Amino acid sequence: MTTNDEVLDPVTSRMPDVPPQPGSRHDPAQVLLTRVGLQIPAELSYDDWARAGHRLSGIVDSSSWCLGDWLVYGKKNYADRYKRAIDAAGLQYQTLRNYAWVSRRFELHRRRPRLTFQHHAEVASLPLLDQERLLDEAEQQMWTTKQLRTRIRDERIGHASETVNPVIIPRIEVPDARLAWWREAADQSGMPFEDWVRATLDGAAEEALDDVRTDHVALRRLPGAGAAPEAQDG
């Protein structure tokens, strides 16, 4: 067994990079998760195969929350150094920023274990009461993320028809290639293009304002720095 394996079976569970105990032996009927993929035995029962899929789904979903929390903590406590840690870890900042944005919108006690990270991401740009209501419905009705997305879209269409004076943003001309690039990114995220644009702009605005706040904090920590005004949470 390599030191980067995680056993996925009904009994044993170890985190990656934790070496096996001296004298321990690997059960050849177990599925192993390595840094480069799965090691699946030639003969695996359906139940064990299905159980491994359930475990893998939980690991993937948890990692999104964990990486988001990790970045939020780093930006708050190491404003002048956290990007170096991201580069050293070989992580993509844009991806982490998206995870962090959702993580900031949902404190730990508000996260629903029975729903995925993506469920939460779908409602993250909505007001808190709408977030709770829609997540309640998603739990009760056991909606997929696609069903939740459809519900949000239908509600927006209904609200738009009731709006007397909708706000229209200025027209922005972009090359066809860039628009196609944006649409591809929206497709990859699983979001309708209009929702992806809103979420991306919200994330960029929050990131820009957050950078200003962290810069103010960093300046206050410098020796001899003047009294910069305290940053206020938006």
Side-chain angles (χ1 to χ4, degrees):
M1 181 190 302
T2 68
T3 60
N4 294 321
D5 296 335
E6 179 184 359
V7 180
L8 299 178
D9 78 306
V11 179
T12 309
S13 176
R14 290 193 300 101
M15 291 301 292
D17 297 323
V18 176
Q21 296 299 315
S24 63
R25 300 187 64 181
H26 162 52
D27 182 349
Q30 293 173 340
V31 177
L32 295 181
L33 173 62
T34 77
R35 293 181 68 89
V36 293
L38 291 181
Q39 292 181 8
I40 305 177
E43 296 183 3
L44 185 70
S45 71
Y46 171 82
D47 288 343
D48 286 341
W49 172 80
R51 188 178 296 109
H54 181 74
R55 292 281 309 285
L56 286 167
S57 175
I59 291 170
V60 170
D61 201 55
S62 175
S63 68
S64 300
W65 286 120
C66 293
L67 286 170
D69 292 338
W70 178 77
L71 181 59
V72 170
Y73 184 90
K75 292 186 68 173
K76 179 180 179 181
N77 293 278
Y78 313 112
D80 56 338
R81 293 175 291 168
Y82 76 97
K83 286 189 178 180
R84 280 184 284 170
I86 293 171
D87 293 337
L91 298 168
Q92 295 295 320
Y93 178 67
Q94 181 62 47
T95 301
L96 289 181
R97 191 175 75 171
N98 294 338
Y99 292 160
W101 180 69
V102 177
S103 296
R104 277 195 297 265
R105 299 286 288 175
F106 291 93
E107 296 179 3
L108 201 61
H109 69 276
R110 293 187 56 228
R111 300 174 189 177
R112 314 292 182 94
R114 290 193 294 174
L115 298 177
T116 67
F117 179 87
Q118 189 58 39
H119 280 94
H120 294 77
E122 294 290 343
V123 302
S125 62
L126 302 177
L128 188 146
L129 291 179
D130 288 335
Q131 291 176 3
E132 293 298 307
R133 174 178 57 82
L134 287 165
L135 291 180
D136 283 342
E137 289 188 55
E139 275 193 306
Q140 295 163 6
Q141 303 296 326
M142 294 185 291
W143 285 342
T144 63
T145 54
K146 183 177 180 180
Q147 289 172 315
L148 175 58
R149 191 180 310 133
T150 299
R151 178 56 176 266
I152 296 170
R153 183 193 62 198
D154 291 345
E155 288 193 0
R156 281 176 174 164
I157 292 174
H159 292 163
S161 64
E162 299 171 0
T163 303
V164 178
N165 296 311
V167 177
I168 301 176
I169 64 173
R171 179 176 177 178
I172 302 174
E173 296 184 2
V174 297
D176 290 342
R178 180 171 294 179
L179 181 60
W181 187 40
W182 291 349
R183 289 190 180 278
E184 182 180 356
D187 290 341
Q188 290 295 322
S189 72
M191 299 173 65
F193 180 67
E194 292 78 5
D195 292 346
W196 179 85
V197 170
R198 293 189 190 97
T200 301
L201 290 175
D202 284 343
E206 184 168 350
E207 176 70 18
L209 295 174
D210 193 50
D211 283 345
V212 171
R213 288 192 287 265
T214 53
D215 286 346
H216 285 173
V217 173
L219 284 172
R220 289 175 62 85
R221 291 176 178 173
L222 291 175
E230 276 297 341
Q232 298 295 323
D233 289 334

